[in-house]
Amino acid sequence: MAARPDRFRRAVVRAGLALLLGWQLVAAAQTAQTAPPAGAADAVAGAGAVRFGILPLGGAFESRNDWEPLLADLRRAIGRPVTMLSVTSYEALEQAIQRDQVDMAFLSGKMALDAVTLRRMKVLAQVTRHDGLPGYRALLLARKSGPRSNLKDLLSEPEKWRLARGESRSVSGFIVPQLQLFLPNHIAMETRFRSELVGTHQVTALAVANDEADVATNNTADFERFRQQFPAEADRLQVIWESELIPHAQIVIRRDYGPEFEKKVQLFLVEYARGKSPRGDSERAVLKSLHDLAGFVPADNSSLLPAAKLAYQLARQSAMTSQWVNEAARQARLQRIETTYAEQVAALRAGAP
């Protein structure tokens, strides 16, 4: 096999180092002070560090560098330490949230939904982007040249394609492509492809660019960032499918904090990069490097209703296309899905003002 390009080798090395760092951070967090119990928030509002968890969109090192300037500004605004947990997988971040090792987090879709409905967190704000759209799109990427480069061939013979995809909790890396493209064509992403590589959007795009995979899930925001960081590799790629719009990610906070503290944090986020001053210019530069964000808008738990609907649709579609021992078992599963969705919708609406 030909040697991989130097840039790809460096990316793999960074990913390995980032994985080590991510798990070191999780291990360190296990010994940290846990979040205060419900009802004790006001008493501790000025004590202890706020632990901020970051959804892994690129490498752990890259994420830490991107978020550090904004979190430094947040420290000054709220007058207390803010520490960062940057990991390399959705699972690692979810485990940290389950262990009460995260007080605030940048999350999208399914992870934000689970944090709010299962882990005593609430939505404070939602990100916005410069294109003004209320969301982004999932993508499928393939090489521009080669025997496997178009959607028709992919759908007709998926077992001949090597897939690079996101984790099962990733909205654009798994949930939306599965729901909107593959399951309607009777293809289960986990079982129908010749091989499968699971990683971040950067890793999946590099895999296709360097012929380690034939098709990759991605999204419009991360692929634009990939074009800036890896222009030569991006030039080898083409988009063969786009999804419907997916709502942007949210900032969530543990409900153990009192309303006054929540309002202070929300105000910081909403006003960030809005000023017409050198400081505002500096903050806009921070957001530009942070996945090209434009800012934040106030949001509540009801902003997760689209994510709940996506999860519901995927669960229902999977139940309809799976094999069951009998029809009664399928109907029982469908009823549980309906009940869970109704409970989630009620909980999310109850969390709105």
Side-chain angles (χ1 to χ4, degrees):
M1 179 181 297
R4 299 175 185 173
D6 289 343
R7 184 173 298 196
F8 184 63
R9 289 202 300 270
R10 290 196 298 269
V12 171
V13 171
R14 286 199 302 269
L17 292 173
L19 179 63
L20 176 61
L21 173 63
W23 284 112
Q24 288 174 334
L25 289 167
V26 171
Q30 290 175 351
T31 63
Q33 177 183 345
T34 58
D42 290 337
V44 297
V50 177
R51 300 161 300 176
F52 193 96
I54 300 170
L55 184 70
L57 299 179
F61 288 150
E62 180 183 350
S63 294
R64 287 183 65 83
N65 290 337
D66 289 345
W67 278 93
E68 176 54 37
L70 186 145
L71 296 185
D73 290 339
L74 176 60
R75 293 183 193 107
R76 288 187 286 270
I78 64 177
R80 61 188 295 177
V82 178
T83 60
M84 191 186 332
L85 177 67
S86 176
V87 296
T88 58
S89 73
Y90 287 67
E91 182 179 2
L93 182 54
E94 187 170 275
Q95 289 176 356
I97 293 173
Q98 290 175 2
R99 295 179 182 129
D100 290 341
Q101 295 164 356
V102 174
D103 303 309
M104 288 181 63
F106 169 68
L107 302 174
S108 66
K110 184 65 166 60
M111 287 197 69
L113 178 65
D114 288 346
V116 167
T117 58
L118 302 176
R119 307 298 171 197
R120 293 190 49 77
M121 302 191 88
K122 64 186 294 186
V123 175
L124 279 186
Q126 191 165 24
V127 303
T128 62
R129 294 182 60 84
H130 293 289
D131 56 21
L133 294 174
Y136 59 103
R137 298 181 190 276
L139 304 175
L140 285 185
L141 305 176
R143 290 176 66 90
K144 291 178 179 177
S145 60
R148 299 180 182 89
S149 59
N150 67 76
L151 185 61
K152 181 179 178 181
D153 290 346
L154 169 64
L155 297 179
S156 64
E157 295 182 306
E159 61 277 356
K160 292 186 176 180
W161 292 59
R162 298 166 297 169
L163 172 68
R165 66 169 176 87
E167 297 179 57
S168 59
R169 297 168 181 83
S170 171
V171 177
S172 61
F174 180 83
I175 293 174
V176 168
Q178 180 91 311
L179 172 64
Q180 295 185 8
L181 179 65
F182 290 116
L183 287 183
N185 284 280
H186 310 289
I187 298 169
M189 291 173 68
E190 310 98 305
T191 59
R192 285 292 300 280
F193 288 89
R194 173 181 158 191
S195 64
E196 155 177 289
L197 180 154
V198 178
T200 66
H201 296 305
Q202 182 183 101
V203 167
T204 60
L206 280 171
V208 176
N210 291 287
D211 201 23
E212 299 289 325
D214 301 309
V215 64
T217 60
N218 219 276
N219 66 59
T220 48
D222 281 281
F223 188 45
E224 181 59 34
R225 186 176 179 85
F226 183 82
R227 287 184 183 280
Q228 297 171 6
Q229 296 176 319
F230 300 91
E233 287 79 0
D235 245 7
R236 304 173 198 158
L237 302 175
Q238 63 174 328
V239 175
I240 62 172
W241 176 80
E242 289 189 359
S243 74
E244 300 171 7
L245 278 177
I246 303 168
H248 288 307
Q250 283 94 354
I251 301 291
V252 301
I253 189 169
R254 193 168 295 283
R255 293 203 298 265
D256 298 325
Y257 291 97
E260 184 177 344
F261 182 75
E262 290 173 4
K263 289 179 181 177
K264 181 183 291 188
V265 174
Q266 187 182 61
L267 184 64
F268 163 80
L269 292 170
V270 172
E271 292 186 346
Y272 196 79
R274 303 294 185 188
K276 296 182 179 180
S277 65
R279 177 178 175 180
D281 293 339
S282 175
E283 292 173 348
R284 281 185 284 277
V286 168
L287 293 183
K288 177 71 175 176
S289 66
L290 189 61
H291 310 293
D292 196 26
L293 301 183
F296 304 89
V297 294
D300 55 52
N301 291 350
S302 64
S303 67
L304 288 172
L305 287 169
K309 186 175 182 180
L310 278 176
Y312 160 74
Q313 291 173 330
L314 178 60
R316 182 174 174 80
Q317 181 82 275
S318 298
M320 292 297 293
T321 56
S322 297
Q323 293 186 349
W324 297 85
V325 292
N326 54 50
E327 185 59 24
R330 184 198 306 274
Q331 291 303 319
R333 173 59 178 154
L334 288 171
Q335 184 55 53
R336 288 196 298 272
I337 292 170
E338 295 291 339
T339 300
T340 298
Y341 179 54
E343 291 173 349
Q344 286 181 338
V345 168
L348 295 175
R349 287 177 174 164

